[in-house]
């Protein structure tokens, strides 16, 4: 059971995120305002996490400086508020399939940002460096294909939708400009999410309590998203939740995604590492194509599938390059033996052979 646990966790996470894309899109098709949705989602997550954090971590609470509070507020806006806002607006303009497909670009975008911040290094003379650069190129190629090439449409698997659509918000085929804008916003959302992950790694070095940091950012995001929602939708009659898919989407995203999925991801990463979990991302794309077609009657275009495949190839290329690089580094460290002789240091024979292979 222990050996199978990471695979079970990864599969559950994939299913949860597939449900997130499909149920959220169903709520938007029903007419729910995307900005109001983010506020309700963050509020539900805060209601879930705040009591748990106070119960489990109240003994670890210490004085927080104004500088750290400002960082928490800023990081919450980048990752917890702006990212979901852009993602949901994009999903309204495009489809659940596009949202899931572009999610495969997140590790690649994170790598690019880390490269710009000099947290990553690319050696174009090594196979790992070439693989990482190839992955970035494939990722951007996939984005361009999704944005500019629609292609023939594929008939829905089920013509009878499981989630009904409001008559006033019946989904129609988006225009080319709308589709391009939606794809751009989705990638911008992935950039904010990638930047947030890099900033989180720095923040945890300063304040290494994951539960308190996550909860604080969630509470800050609730306030931020409320202000944005009030500015975007001043008719409070449209804020009212009905006993339909809109309420289901809020509960699912606030409790299941923020509560269960985040914890399961952390557990899976702790056991097998982040690369293992990232490898499963394309399965979410496949599931979303089928589920959005079956439950939403969504028309899937060939361009989305081709672009998604390019994104998946880019993801695996970067992951392979990172894996190859880490193995080479570890191997080099194991085989680097210095021998003191006549006051000088000399590399071992194994290290010399590795250097010759790298130069070749």
């Amino acid at each position: 059971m222990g050996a199978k646990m990471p695979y079970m966790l990864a599969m559950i996470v994939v299913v949860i995120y597939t449900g997130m894309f499909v149920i959220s899109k169903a709520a938007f098709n029903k007419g729910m305002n995307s900005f109001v949705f983010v506020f309700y989602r963050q509020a539900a997550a805060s209601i879930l996490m705040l009591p748990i954090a106070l119960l489990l971590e109240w003994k670890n609470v210490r004085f927080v400086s104004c500088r750290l509070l400002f960082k928490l507020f800023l990081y919450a806006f980048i990752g917890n508020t702006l990212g979901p806002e852009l993602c949901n607006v994009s999903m309204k303009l495009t489809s659940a399939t596009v949202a899931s497909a572009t999610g495969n670009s997140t590790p690649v975008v994170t790598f690019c940002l880390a490269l710009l911040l000099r947290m990553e290094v690319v050696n174009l003379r090594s196979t790992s460096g070439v693989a990482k650069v190839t992955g970035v190129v494939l990722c951007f190629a996939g984005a361009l294909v999704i944005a500019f090439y629609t292609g023939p449409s594929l008939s829905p698997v089920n013509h009878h939708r499981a989630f009904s659509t409001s008559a006033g918000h019946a989904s129609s085929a988006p225009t080319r400009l709308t589709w391009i804008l939606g794809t751009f916003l989705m990638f911008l959302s992935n950039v904010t999410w990638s930047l947030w992950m890099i900033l989180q790694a720095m923040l945890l070095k300063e304040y290494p309590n994951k539960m308190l940091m996550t909860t604080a950012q969630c509470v800050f995001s609730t306030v931020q998203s409320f202000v944005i929602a009030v500015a975007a939708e001043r008719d409070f009659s449209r804020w009212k939740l009905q006993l339909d898919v809109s309420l289901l989407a809020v509960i699912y995203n606030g409790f299941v995604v923020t509560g269960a999925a985040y914890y399961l991801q952390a557990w899976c990463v702790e056991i097998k590492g982040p690369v293992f979990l990232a490898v499963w991302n394309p399965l979410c794309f496949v599931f979303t194509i089928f589920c959005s077609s079956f439950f939403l009657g969504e028309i899937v275009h060939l361009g989305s599938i081709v672009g998604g495949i390019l994104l998946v190839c880019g993801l695996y290329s970067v992951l392979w390059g990172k894996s190859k690089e880490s193995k080479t580094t570890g191997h080099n460290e194991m085989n680097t033996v210095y021998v003191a002789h006549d006051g000088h240091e000399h590399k071992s024979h194994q290290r010399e052979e590795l250097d010759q292979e790298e130069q070749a």
Side-chain angles (χ1 to χ4, degrees):
M1 185 65 180
K4 296 179 181 178
M5 181 59 71
Y7 299 91
M8 293 175 60
L9 293 174
M11 180 61 74
I12 293 171
V13 169
V14 166
V15 172
I16 289 176
Y17 276 105
T18 300
M20 181 191 74
F21 290 124
V22 175
I23 295 174
S24 299
K25 180 62 175 176
F28 299 147
N29 289 347
K30 190 71 176 177
M32 186 171 194
N33 185 288
S34 61
F35 300 104
V36 175
F37 174 76
V38 172
F39 163 67
Y40 279 136
R41 169 184 171 171
Q42 295 303 112
S46 297
I47 292 172
L48 172 68
M49 297 182 67
L50 192 57
I52 297 175
L54 292 176
L55 182 64
L56 299 178
E57 301 290 342
W58 68 273
K59 292 182 179 180
N60 299 323
V61 176
R62 60 181 176 85
F63 175 76
V64 178
S65 64
C66 294
R67 178 173 170 271
L68 182 57
L69 280 175
F70 176 75
K71 280 186 178 181
L72 288 170
F73 186 86
L74 178 62
Y75 295 175
F77 178 76
I78 293 172
N80 298 68
T81 303
L82 183 60
E85 299 281 13
L86 293 171
C87 177
N88 291 336
V89 171
S90 170
M91 205 183 305
K92 291 192 72 171
L93 297 176
T94 55
S95 66
T97 301
V98 170
S100 179
T102 53
N104 291 288
S105 69
T106 303
V108 181
V109 174
T110 304
F111 166 74
C112 291
L113 290 175
L115 189 64
L116 291 174
L117 295 173
R118 296 186 178 181
M119 299 170 66
E120 281 279 356
V121 178
V122 174
N123 181 10
L124 295 178
R125 299 178 63 182
S126 66
T127 54
S128 61
V130 173
K132 288 190 284 188
V133 172
T134 302
V136 172
V137 173
L138 287 173
C139 176
F140 283 107
L144 293 174
V145 169
I146 291 175
F148 295 102
Y149 174 67
T150 305
S153 59
L154 307 179
S155 299
V157 177
N158 180 20
H159 293 277
H160 303 284
R161 301 182 182 185
F163 297 112
S164 60
T165 303
S166 175
H169 297 85
S171 58
S172 57
T175 63
R176 177 173 290 274
L177 183 60
T178 300
W179 189 271
I180 293 173
L181 176 61
T183 305
F184 171 75
L185 290 177
M186 185 59 72
F187 273 94
L188 196 58
S189 171
N190 291 334
V191 170
T192 62
W193 178 248
S194 299
L195 179 60
W196 180 80
M197 286 191 289
I198 293 174
L199 294 173
Q200 283 294 106
M202 298 178 185
L203 182 65
L204 287 172
K205 293 179 181 179
E206 184 176 351
Y207 197 100
N209 192 311
K210 299 183 185 69
M211 175 64 77
L212 291 177
M213 291 298 94
T214 303
T215 304
Q217 290 180 72
C218 196
V219 173
F220 278 138
S221 177
T222 302
V223 177
Q224 294 165 353
S225 57
F226 175 75
V227 174
I228 295 174
V230 169
E233 182 56 80
R234 300 186 180 183
D235 182 5
F236 284 94
S237 63
R238 297 190 60 187
W239 286 53
K240 187 176 180 181
L241 291 173
Q242 304 292 336
L243 294 176
D244 55 16
V245 69
S246 300
L247 179 60
L248 173 63
V250 169
I251 295 174
Y252 186 89
N253 280 269
F255 293 163
V256 180
V257 176
T258 304
Y262 286 7
Y263 175 77
L264 293 176
Q265 284 181 106
W267 189 7
C268 185
V269 168
E270 185 179 5
I271 298 173
K272 297 287 284 187
V275 174
F276 174 82
L277 188 60
V279 167
W280 289 74
N281 283 358
L283 192 58
C284 181
F285 170 51
V286 175
F287 283 178
T288 304
I289 290 176
F290 178 80
C291 291
S292 63
S293 181
F294 186 85
F295 292 108
L296 304 177
E298 192 171 88
I299 297 175
V300 180
H301 295 277
L302 181 62
S304 298
I305 296 177
V306 173
I309 292 172
L310 288 173
L311 288 168
V312 170
C313 292
L315 167 68
Y316 281 143
S317 183
V318 170
L319 292 179
W320 183 86
K322 289 287 293 178
S323 177
K324 176 83 172 176
E325 184 181 60
S326 61
K327 287 180 181 178
T328 303
T329 303
H331 193 56
N332 289 351
E333 289 175 354
M334 291 176 62
N335 289 281
T336 303
V337 180
Y338 293 94
V339 181
H341 181 68
D342 295 333
H344 296 85
E345 290 184 340
H346 303 274
K347 291 183 180 179
S348 67
H349 176 67
Q350 293 94 331
R351 180 62 199 179
E352 291 176 352
E353 289 182 346
L354 284 171
D355 288 344
Q356 290 175 3
E357 290 178 3
E358 289 178 356
Q359 291 175 0

